[in-house]
Amino acid sequence: NAGVTQTPKFQVLKTGQSMTLQCAQDMNHNSMYWYRQDPGMGLRLIYYSASEGTTDKGEVPNGYNVSRLNKREFSLRLESAAPSQTSVYFCASTQNYGYTFGSGTRLTVV
Amino acid sequence: KNEVEQSPQNLTAQEGEFITINCSYSVGISALHWLQQHPGGGIVSLFMLSSGKKKHGRLIATINIQEKHSSLHITASHPRDSAVYICAVHPAQFVNQFYFGTGTSLTVIP
């Protein structure tokens, strides 16, 4: 099925560890996004990529890096995880105002 | 400052009731989305609106661009409608941005 695929679905990290969240879409969308969702705060934009080869910071970029490897893939990296990064992470892609989300990654940093 | 405000924040209804969730926004927009998130689940786009009204099954979404207001209605509510409903707008000024409401948590009791 066409859509946005995120991996992993769950992850537990120790403080200071690093990891990369993967996201891929097969809808030929230009724009891709990484959000975090925390209780009572709604979705907040971490980074976005308007097109292959470009990335821009969103509302809460500190502690994260991204790579738009090609048109399909947009990865989010935590270089040194902190407990404040415990959250649910969603990748999304859009084209012509249509909006598709991945199923989310539940990350816990202990 | 939150560009998108939703009300109510929480809503409990008896099965069969007619439900309305409201969304007000403060910026000019190109489109508005209604999203649904079941507990522990991913995020699904229900509607994308730029004017008028859309209907899908028991769900109806309306938008009034002049008043900067949208409503999501659920007719004959069912326990499976229990979810968080999120309003998101695509601001006209920023092509690649979305502003999100903090969501309305709906519980439908059998």
Side-chain angles (χ1 to χ4, degrees):
Chain A
N1 289 338
V4 177
T5 303
Q6 265 184 256
T7 56
K9 292 193 184 304
F10 300 94
Q11 184 72 48
V12 178
L13 289 178
K14 294 183 179 179
T15 298
Q17 286 185 318
S18 62
M19 78 162 294
T20 299
L21 281 64
Q22 306 287 352
C23 175
Q25 52 92 8
D26 57 6
M27 297 169 288
N28 205 36
H29 286 176
N30 285 323
S31 300
M32 297 185 73
Y33 305 80
W34 276 106
Y35 294 96
R36 61 179 289 173
Q37 186 181 42
D38 301 291
M41 301 194 74
L43 288 156
R44 292 185 293 168
L45 181 64
I46 304 171
Y47 271 93
Y48 68 97
S49 170
S51 62
E52 182 180 352
T54 68
T55 61
D56 286 284
K57 294 179 180 179
E59 184 183 352
V60 288
N62 291 345
Y64 305 95
N65 286 301
V66 290
S67 295
R68 183 75 183 266
L69 304 169
N70 47 55
K71 193 169 187 180
R72 290 188 65 247
E73 298 172 292
F74 187 38
S75 61
L76 178 72
R77 182 159 178 85
L78 287 72
E79 291 291 352
S80 179
S84 61
Q85 294 177 305
T86 294
S87 187
V88 180
Y89 292 85
F90 287 97
C91 177
S93 70
T94 67
Q95 184 89 351
N96 299 327
Y97 309 128
Y99 210 176
T100 304
F101 284 86
S103 56
T105 297
R106 190 170 294 273
L107 174 67
T108 302
V109 183
V110 298
Chain B
K1 175 177 175 291
N2 196 356
E3 290 84 1
V4 181
E5 298 283 351
Q6 282 184 241
S7 64
Q9 282 190 305
N10 298 285
L11 182 56
T12 301
Q14 291 291 132
E15 183 173 356
E17 285 186 5
F18 180 85
I19 289 163
T20 296
I21 299 170
N22 295 300
C23 175
S24 296
Y25 52 91
S26 58
V27 297
I29 67 168
S30 302
L32 179 144
H33 296 257
W34 280 103
L35 310 172
Q36 181 192 54
Q37 184 176 27
H38 281 101
I43 299 172
V44 175
S45 178
L46 297 174
F47 294 103
M48 184 188 70
L49 295 161
S50 55
S51 65
K53 175 179 173 179
K54 285 190 176 180
K55 185 175 189 291
H56 184 258
R58 294 180 294 105
L59 273 59
I60 303 166
T62 64
I63 188 168
N64 185 319
I65 295 293
Q66 287 73 29
E67 294 186 3
K68 293 187 167 61
H69 182 268
S70 176
S71 294
L72 176 68
H73 305 286
I74 304 174
T75 62
S77 59
H78 189 276
R80 65 174 174 266
D81 297 325
S82 298
V84 175
Y85 293 84
I86 302 168
C87 174
V89 301
H90 187 103
Q93 186 177 6
F94 301 108
V95 174
N96 295 305
Q97 297 281 357
F98 287 87
Y99 298 145
F100 293 89
T102 53
T104 295
S105 179
L106 171 65
T107 302
V108 181
I109 300 170

